[in-house]
Amino acid sequence: MPVPVPQQRSVPAAETSHGDLTLLVIEDDPAGTTITVPELSAAAGTRVRIRTARNLTEAARLLTDDVDCILLDLALPVTGSDSGPGDGPVSARAVELAALTHVLRIAPLHAVLALTAEDDPELAAEAVRVGAQDYLFRGELDARVLSRAIRYAVERKRADMAQHQLTESRLRAQENARLERGLLPTPLLDGSGLSFAARYRPGRSRALLGGDFYDVVRTPDGTVHAMIGDVCGHGPDEAALGVELRIAWRALTLAGLCGDELLSTLQQVLEHERQSEEIFATLCTVDIAPDGRRAGLCLAGHPAPLLARHGRPAGLLPYEDGGPALGLLPRARWPRRQVELGGAWSLMMYTDGLIEGRVGTGGSERLGQDGMVAMVNGRLEQGLAGEELLEAAVAEVRELNGGELTDDVAVLLLGRDPERIRRGGGSAPRSRPASSVVARPLGAQRPPL
């Protein structure tokens, strides 16, 4: 028996009300009046619109976005034009399911009900395994059964699509995490005798990379070069540009460039890679002499590092001679300033995300550099150093802000302890490329940072 439903004029989606259902019946002989539209509508509890197609070609024309469910007769003949490209001999079961396979290919977002003979339950079960949401037997078909099956098929299809999208989203997130983790820096400090710790917190939700970037390398002459920077903005484009600038800085540093020559070249990289002329980046570079007692400092619109010598409070390095941020002036210059570090010291470099958090009643004020210096000195008085110091500093900034910081935060800490070096402490370990803190203790006695 054919599916007993009459053919009906399709109604545009704009004319339907909330809860209406549209059923597309694909059957080569749709004649019959056993189940009428009013009966089906009454059983479904809402208006049901029915479209009928005699073959798969006609079904493709009637298949629009407002169709909620497809009722397919598995016995529908499949012509050569509908069967798709041939891949050699096919099984008898594949021939029986050829119509269903074609419908699933042309209607991947629609719920599908398979209609089959009552004496072939194996074919019906195979149809569900292939992709149909449910099956119906001809002998049991009535308005109540059909309306319930339509509702079930539609909801199951929605659940399947939601699960599929969730799985794809998780896979993309995992792949992005692997990619971003591989782009985080691995400082090269072997043989330097310096300790290293870093803290990195992207402002973007569920991201590992932000517009902030940093790196530390030791060149063959024994000089340790450290850099920290910030691309304006917080999106993935800014994160990608930050990675490009970091990699370019490392390549240029290992090639022997430093100071104004290096920053001028980085500005050219920025100008060629940025999405618009409004994008700029701040940068702070420090090159520490092989003996570890002095350093050269260059600032490109970036906050000055914090230096603490043994037994003294931490204070900011001079910042009056700094140059503009990269990308603002075409022929800018960045003077290099010589800084005396001393024998035992710690140097903290950071991005403005650490100092721009809100503080005070109602969050009307920002922490600022003075507030950061006072906060760090307070932690030093508690005996914190290295990893513990950075963790506590970032946690306190979040607490003062009243919640998560919206800006990216990067902080790195370099230190020199002659006593540890004499005891054979060696150089800092290769840090793991992760957003958590990586550090080596700065010594048995409390160091300045």
Side-chain angles (χ1 to χ4, degrees), residues 63-340:
L63 187 62
T64 55
D65 292 339
D66 62 331
V67 171
D68 297 287
C69 186
I70 300 171
L71 179 62
L72 171 67
D73 181 9
L74 293 183
L76 182 73
V78 179
T79 63
S81 60
D82 295 329
S83 59
D87 294 322
V90 295
S91 64
R93 184 64 78 191
V95 172
E96 292 176 311
L97 294 173
L100 175 61
T101 303
H102 179 83
V103 169
L104 293 175
R105 185 169 64 250
I106 66 174
L109 304 181
H110 292 76
V112 178
L113 288 170
L115 184 65
T116 185
E118 194 170 356
D119 59 352
D120 199 351
E122 292 184 2
L123 178 62
E126 184 69 10
V128 173
R129 189 193 69 79
V130 170
Q133 273 61 59
D134 203 353
Y135 63 84
L136 296 171
F137 293 130
R138 286 186 179 278
E140 299 177 353
L141 192 65
D142 59 27
R144 181 181 59 84
V145 171
L146 181 56
S147 64
R148 183 175 61 190
I150 293 172
R151 290 286 188 186
Y152 172 78
V154 170
E155 293 304 321
R156 181 174 177 180
K157 184 64 176 181
R158 288 174 180 170
D160 290 345
M161 292 297 297
Q163 182 62 39
H164 179 70
Q165 293 172 356
L166 178 60
T167 301
E168 285 190 339
S169 177
R170 287 175 176 172
L171 290 175
R172 284 195 300 269
Q174 292 173 1
E175 184 64 26
N176 289 341
R178 284 193 292 269
L179 176 61
E180 293 184 10
R181 191 174 294 112
L183 294 174
L184 288 171
T186 301
L188 305 178
L189 285 172
D190 291 344
S192 68
L194 302 182
S195 61
F196 172 83
R199 193 75 170 94
Y200 192 90
R201 294 178 63 90
R204 290 187 297 140
S205 175
R206 297 185 297 275
L208 295 178
L209 282 176
D212 292 1
F213 54 98
Y214 69 89
D215 205 351
V216 182
V217 298
R218 181 173 182 260
T219 49
D221 64 355
T223 303
V224 172
H225 304 263
M227 171 272 294
I228 194 166
D230 181 5
V231 177
C232 66
H234 314 292
D237 290 338
E238 289 75 12
L241 182 56
V243 171
E244 292 182 83
L245 292 176
R246 181 188 68 79
I247 295 174
W249 177 86
R250 173 174 286 201
L252 294 170
T253 299
L254 293 176
L257 276 68
C258 68
D260 182 77
E261 184 180 11
L262 186 149
L263 292 177
S264 297
T265 308
L266 277 182
Q267 174 159 280
Q268 295 180 37
V269 174
L270 171 66
E271 292 171 346
H272 284 88
E273 297 297 332
R274 61 186 176 184
Q275 298 295 320
S276 71
E277 294 185 356
E278 298 177 354
I279 301 296
F280 64 90
T282 65
L283 201 70
C284 170
T285 67
V286 175
D287 52 280
I288 303 169
D291 63 4
R293 303 185 65 88
R294 60 189 184 281
L297 171 67
C298 285
L299 295 176
H302 199 88
L306 190 67
L307 176 67
R309 300 180 181 89
H310 189 71
R312 303 180 189 177
L316 297 174
L317 290 181
Y319 51 84
E320 295 83 3
D321 297 334
L326 302 182
L328 292 183
L329 301 177
R331 288 178 292 276
R333 287 292 176 262
W334 296 271
R336 178 178 177 274
R337 180 162 187 161
Q338 190 75 12
V339 178
E340 293 297 326

Side-chain angles (χ1 to χ4, degrees), residues 335-414:
R336 178 178 177 274
R337 180 162 187 161
Q338 190 75 12
V339 178
E340 293 297 326
L341 300 177
W345 51 265
S346 290
L347 183 70
M348 190 175 83
M349 304 169 68
Y350 53 93
T351 57
D352 59 7
L354 186 69
I355 60 177
E356 290 189 349
R358 300 289 181 177
V359 296
T361 305
S364 58
E365 301 177 3
R366 296 190 181 274
L367 177 64
Q369 288 180 291
D370 292 339
M372 180 200 65
V373 172
M375 177 189 67
V376 170
N377 279 318
R379 295 298 181 177
L380 290 175
E381 292 176 358
Q382 298 174 2
L384 299 183
E387 177 181 338
E388 294 181 348
L389 174 64
L390 295 189
E391 187 70 28
V394 174
E396 184 172 351
V397 170
R398 287 181 61 249
E399 182 179 353
L400 292 173
N401 190 60
E404 285 293 342
L405 300 167
T406 58
D407 198 3
D408 306 324
V409 176
V411 191
L412 63 89
L413 186 66
L414 290 168

